[in-house]
Amino acid sequence: MGSAVTSSPATSGGPALMAYDDALARYEPVLGLETHVELGTRSKMFCSCATAFGAEPNTQVCPVCLALPGSLPVVNGTAVESAVRLGLALNCSIASWCRFARKNYFYPDMPKNYQISQYDEPLCSDGHLDVVVDTPEGPREFRVEIERVHMEEDTGKTSHVGGTTGRIHGAEYSIVDYNRAGIPLLEIVTKPIEHTGDLAPLVARAYVSELRDLVRSLGVSDVRMEEGSLRCDVNVSLMPRGATKWGTRSETKNVNSLRSVERAMRFEIQRQAAVLDAGGRVVQETRHFQENSGTTVSGRSKEEAQDYRYFPDPDLVPVAPSAEWIEELRAGLPELPAAKRRRIKAEWELSDEELRDLVNAEAIDLVAATVDAGAPPADARKWWLNELSRRATETEVELAALPVTPAQVARVVELVAEGTLTNKLARQVVEGVLAGEGEPDAVVEARGLKVVSDDSALGAAVRQAIADNPDVAEKIRGGKVAAAGALVGAVMKATRGQADAGRARELILAELGVQA
C-alpha cells in the first residue's frame, strides 16, 4: 500500500507532502543545527564601533568594519572570553592555540568580500548539550553532540525593496546597512543527530531552547531571536528505515523562532519523504522558511562544493588562551539552566508538570528571583504563571519584558500576606505598577487600596448591608449562618472590595446576635 501524499495544505500549488506519520514509518531523519549567536559586547569583533541594536542605518561603522584601505583589525578580548565560557558550558575542549581565517565570497553585505572566521582551528570543539523532550510516556533525554564553537564576524543586512517576497528576485532595488557588519558572532555546530524518530522536530526545538537559555544564563548575549541575535540553520536529511547511509540534506537558513525551527523541520521531513517516495532525488540546497505558510522554498544549490579559499588571516595574531585562564573561567561559570531546574524542582517540591509549566512559560528565572526577594515559591509561581502571563499575552510581549520586577511582585505578595491587600486589590496594585505609577506601596497609597479592617470604618457598611437586606438578615437570625456570605458581599461592594471579609463577617454576626 502506498503512503499518503498530498499537496501542501498551506500553499496553492505547493510541493507534495507525505503525511508525517507515514514519512516517519518509512524514513529515519538525520538532523543538524548550526546556530549563530551575536555576542552582547559593547564594541564589534575587530574594531571599537558600537553594537547597539536599532541605530540609524550605517551610523555604527568605521574604516575597519567597512574594510577601507589601510585599516587593520584587532581582536575583541571580551568576545574571546565569552566564546571560551560558552565552550566550557557546552562541555567542549578549548584549544590552546588557534587562528582566524579568511572565508572568501562575494555578497553586497560583506564589505571586505571575505568574512573573518575560523576554519580548521576552532576555539572550542567536541562538546555536548543534553535536552529533554516531553512525550506521552514521560520526559525523554537526548544528548546532542557539539562539533565545534568558533568565532567570526557578522555580516551587514541587505534589504530587497519593492518585491512581494523580500528576496532579490522581483525587487526594484536593494539597500545595505553595515551597522551589523563586524559584530562578534559565535557559530555552534552540532554533529549529525540520529535516532530521534518522530520526535526530531521537538528535539531540534528543545536543543535551540536549551542553548538559548544556556547563553542567556552566561550573560554573553540577549539571544533575542526576533532581533536576529540568535539565528538557526536547520539541516535535515532522510534515509530509508534499515539503511546506514545518510540521505542528501537540505539547509533551511536563518530560522528565527523556536516554533519555526520545529515547523521547518517537520515540513522538510514531509517534503523530502514525498520526493523520495515518488522516485525523485532530494537536491542539496539552501532553503528559506516562510512564516506565514509554515513551508520552505528553494534558495540556492549547494550540490557543488563552494571553494571559500580559506587561509589564515595575516593581520590577526593567533588566539592562545592559557590553561590557568581557562580554569579561572570554568570556576566562574554560573549555575547552568539544567542544574538550576533540578535544584528548584527539589527545593520547591515541584512535580514534573509544574516544572514543565514554568519552563514553557519562560518564567523559571523570574519566579526564582521573586523567591529570592522574599516571596514563597507557590505565591511567586501563581503571580507569574497566572496574572502576569495573562498580561503578557494581552500586550503581546515576552513575560520578562513586562514593566514589573520580581522584587515588586514579592512586595505585592508580602502586602497580601500581612493583610494590607486582598488578592483582588493586589491585582489592582500590579495594574498600577505595570502602568508606570510607581512602586507597589506608592500605588496602594495613591489609589487608596488598603484593606479596611477598622471596626469603626466597617460598622457603617455592615449596618447598611443589614438594613438593605432584611430577608437575608432574618435567615441568619434563624440559624442559616451561611447566608452571611451575601451580606459580606454587600459590604465588599460598598467598600470597593477593600473590606476585610473575615472581620466584616464577624461584625455582621455580632450585629445580628448570632454566634459564629
Side-chain angles (χ1 to χ4, degrees):
M1 182 180 294
S3 300
V5 177
T6 63
S7 61
S8 169
T11 56
S12 175
L17 301 180
M18 181 180 289
Y20 186 71
D21 289 343
D22 289 340
L24 271 298
R26 294 174 64 84
Y27 300 98
E28 173 70 27
V30 178
L31 46 145
L33 297 156
E34 302 171 21
T35 309
H36 294 82
V37 174
E38 280 187 356
L39 297 178
T41 54
R42 290 196 297 267
S43 57
K44 293 185 180 181
M45 187 72 214
F46 301 111
C47 68
S48 59
C49 286
T51 59
F53 180 81
E56 287 296 313
N58 297 308
T59 58
Q60 297 180 164
V61 293
C62 73
V64 174
C65 55
L66 289 178
L68 299 184
S71 60
L72 290 173
V74 177
V75 175
N76 185 325
T78 301
V80 175
E81 178 179 320
S82 297
V84 172
R85 293 178 70 228
L86 179 57
L88 292 171
L90 288 171
N91 307 288
C92 289
S93 298
I94 310 300
S96 59
W97 189 93
C98 63
R99 290 181 292 187
F100 286 99
R102 293 185 179 182
K103 179 181 180 181
N104 295 272
Y105 65 96
F106 172 77
Y107 204 74
D109 58 17
M110 290 287 297
K112 297 185 288 289
N113 287 339
Y114 64 83
Q115 179 187 31
I116 301 177
S117 181
Q118 292 187 302
Y119 178 46
D120 55 348
E121 298 172 317
L123 180 61
C124 316
S125 58
D126 296 322
H128 67 266
L129 183 63
D130 294 327
V131 302
V132 176
V133 174
D134 288 317
T135 73
E137 295 76 33
R140 279 189 61 186
E141 186 172 86
F142 292 85
R143 172 158 291 186
V144 177
E145 302 284 348
I146 306 296
E147 176 74 34
R148 58 192 281 145
V149 179
H150 67 258
M151 298 178 290
E152 58 188 22
E153 59 179 341
D154 210 345
T155 61
K157 181 180 180 180
T158 303
S159 299
H160 304 295
V161 182
T164 58
T165 64
R167 299 172 61 195
I168 194 169
H169 300 293
E172 296 176 11
Y173 59 92
S174 299
I175 53 178
V176 184
D177 177 9
Y178 288 112
N179 281 349
R180 199 175 69 185
I183 285 182
L185 201 65
L186 297 183
E187 182 171 355
I188 303 102
V189 182
T190 71
K191 295 180 181 178
I193 307 167
E194 301 181 79
H195 312 303
T196 58
D198 61 346
L199 297 177
L202 296 178
V203 171
R205 177 173 181 156
Y207 165 77
V208 178
S209 176
E210 185 73 11
L211 180 62
R212 183 190 61 174
D213 291 347
L214 182 69
V215 173
R216 184 184 288 137
S217 74
L218 296 171
V220 300
S221 173
D222 59 19
V223 287
R224 292 177 179 165
M225 298 186 80
E226 71 279 4
E227 293 182 0
S229 54
L230 187 150
R231 312 187 293 274
C232 187
D233 298 342
V234 177
N235 295 270
V236 184
S237 69
L238 299 181
M239 59 182 180
R241 290 284 176 182
T244 57
K245 184 179 179 181
W246 296 335
T248 301
R249 66 181 174 88
S250 66
E251 180 182 1
T252 304
K253 302 288 288 185
N254 294 329
V255 183
N256 63 0
S257 77
L258 298 178
R259 179 170 177 261
S260 296
V261 167
E262 180 181 345
R263 293 171 74 203
M265 182 160 290
R266 181 179 290 267
F267 180 85
E268 275 302 289
I269 289 172
Q270 293 182 263
R271 182 189 69 84
Q272 291 185 27
V275 170
L276 295 172
D277 210 52
R281 183 176 67 89
V282 173
V283 176
Q284 184 168 332
E285 62 181 350
T286 63
R287 297 182 69 84
H288 301 279
F289 183 69
Q290 308 296 298
E291 290 281 353
N292 58 343
S293 63
T295 64
T296 68
V297 296
S298 180
R300 62 182 177 86
S301 172
K302 296 191 75 173
E303 292 199 292
E304 294 184 6
Q306 186 165 351
D307 182 10
Y308 291 115
R309 295 180 291 115
Y310 282 101
F311 64 87
D313 193 303
D315 293 333
L316 290 166
V317 297
V319 175
S322 68
E324 293 77 16
W325 184 57
I326 290 171
E327 291 310 310
E328 180 182 328
L329 294 179
R330 192 193 306 275
L333 291 178
E335 183 180 35
L336 300 181
K340 185 173 188 176
R341 289 195 298 270
R342 289 192 294 269
R343 175 180 61 79
I344 282 176
K345 182 182 179 184
E347 290 181 357
W348 298 355
E349 298 180 342
L350 300 178
S351 66
D352 288 338
E353 292 74 17
E354 289 170 331
L355 181 64
R356 182 187 62 215
D357 289 344
L358 279 176
V359 172
N360 290 345
E362 298 184 6
I364 195 163
D365 289 334
L366 295 167
V367 174
T370 306
V371 172
D372 290 343
D379 290 328
R381 283 169 43 223
K382 178 189 74 174
W383 276 99
W384 285 107
L385 292 183
N386 297 331
E387 183 68 16
L388 291 168
S389 285
R390 180 179 66 80
R391 298 293 181 117
T393 300
E394 289 175 352
T395 54
E396 298 182 341
V397 300
E398 292 183 4
L399 192 59
L402 286 174
V404 62
T405 67
Q408 290 169 329
V409 175
R411 178 55 181 158
V412 171
V413 170
E414 183 180 12
L415 290 170
V416 173
E418 67 187 24
T420 302
L421 298 175
T422 64
N423 282 324
K424 182 177 180 180
L425 293 174
R427 287 193 288 273
Q428 294 181 52
V429 172
V430 169
E431 179 183 90
V433 173
L434 291 171
E437 296 174 18
E439 293 297 313
D441 290 276
V443 175
V444 169
E445 190 66 30
R447 293 194 177 194
L449 296 177
K450 283 186 180 179
V451 166
V452 178
S453 56
D454 180 73
D455 287 358
S456 61
L458 283 177
V462 166
R463 289 188 292 273
Q464 188 63 48
I466 292 172
D468 291 343
N469 299 276
D471 53 336
V472 177
E474 196 58 39
K475 288 180 182 178
I476 297 170
R477 289 191 183 97
K480 294 184 178 180
V481 179
L487 296 185
V488 172
V491 172
M492 297 299 291
K493 183 177 180 181
T495 60
R496 297 184 301 138
Q498 292 177 243
D500 182 328
R503 185 56 184 156
R505 185 177 186 277
E506 292 172 359
L507 292 176
I508 289 168
L509 296 179
E511 188 75 22
L512 295 174
V514 176
Q515 291 290 329

